[in-house]
Amino acid sequence: MTLHAANAAADLQLAASLQQGKQESLAVVYDKYAPALGGIINRMVNEKALAEKILQDSFINAWRQVAIFDPANSSFFSWLINITRQTAFDALQSQQNANPTGNNPVYDAPYNLASQETAFDLVYYKGLSYAAAATALQTTVAEVKAGIHLTLNKLKQQIVE
């Protein structure tokens, strides 16, 4: 069994344990994925206190929604990223509604068009659709999806190491 397959199997066991309501599994998931998810949040939000709240809320949302996790649709890590991303967007929208004239805290760094992570940045940090990201990068939707897939694999490798 390869390291990737072993990690995927361990994630499926964690997900099943969470689905059974075992709270101690949430601590394991947090320890394993909080650094990676926190990094994603920090690229979206420029306020430390808000980023920490979003991270906590993301794990609470994952706990509440774990019953709908389906390994046939995505890996556990990708599912957690999507929950974290949606939690961050919701928090940013709420903050923007509370202070519509304030600065927009969404990550706004210049894009390096040669980077595979650019597609990931546009979709996950900026909230663009695959089609909008493809248009912005002057490429195809398939290439955007491939770039995102490569970035997710890099993130998974960093977690495993």
Side-chain angles (χ1 to χ4, degrees), residues 102-155:
N103 293 336
N104 186 349
V106 175
Y107 173 71
D108 196 22
Y111 299 120
N112 174 0
L113 295 179
S115 170
Q116 290 290 345
E117 293 162 331
T118 302
F120 186 84
D121 289 346
L122 291 173
V123 173
Y124 280 88
Y125 300 140
K126 290 288 197 176
L128 270 63
S129 67
Y130 292 129
T135 300
L137 296 172
Q138 299 177 348
T139 189
T140 66
V141 170
E143 288 178 2
V144 167
K145 289 181 177 181
I148 290 170
H149 182 75
L150 287 173
T151 302
L152 287 173
N153 283 337
K154 287 179 191 176
L155 287 169

Side-chain angles (χ1 to χ4, degrees), residues 9-150:
D11 279 355
L12 290 178
Q13 288 177 339
L14 276 173
S17 181
L18 288 173
Q19 288 173 332
Q20 294 168 1
K22 296 180 181 174
Q23 291 183 0
E24 62 274 5
S25 297
L26 188 59
V28 174
V29 172
Y30 184 90
D31 290 343
K32 184 174 183 179
Y33 289 113
L37 297 176
I40 290 170
I41 294 166
N42 286 331
R43 298 225 19 216
M44 296 176 74
V45 177
N46 62 8
E47 186 181 323
K48 185 177 180 179
L50 179 59
E52 289 174 2
K53 181 175 181 348
I54 291 169
L55 183 62
Q56 290 175 348
D57 289 349
S58 296
F59 280 96
I60 291 169
N61 289 339
W63 173 257
R64 289 179 180 158
Q65 297 175 33
V66 74
I68 64 170
F69 168 69
D70 183 359
N73 292 333
S74 70
S75 71
F76 187 60
F77 180 56
S78 295
W79 182 77
L80 288 171
I81 287 174
N82 286 330
I83 286 181
T84 300
R85 182 176 147 241
Q86 188 59 52
T87 303
F89 284 141
D90 291 347
L92 292 171
Q93 183 67 40
S94 176
Q95 186 181 46
Q96 187 175 9
N97 289 343
N99 185 14
T101 61
N103 293 336
N104 186 349
V106 175
Y107 173 71
D108 196 22
Y111 299 120
N112 174 0
L113 295 179
S115 170
Q116 290 290 345
E117 293 162 331
T118 302
F120 186 84
D121 289 346
L122 291 173
V123 173
Y124 280 88
Y125 300 140
K126 290 288 197 176
L128 270 63
S129 67
Y130 292 129
T135 300
L137 296 172
Q138 299 177 348
T139 189
T140 66
V141 170
E143 288 178 2
V144 167
K145 289 181 177 181
I148 290 170
H149 182 75
L150 287 173

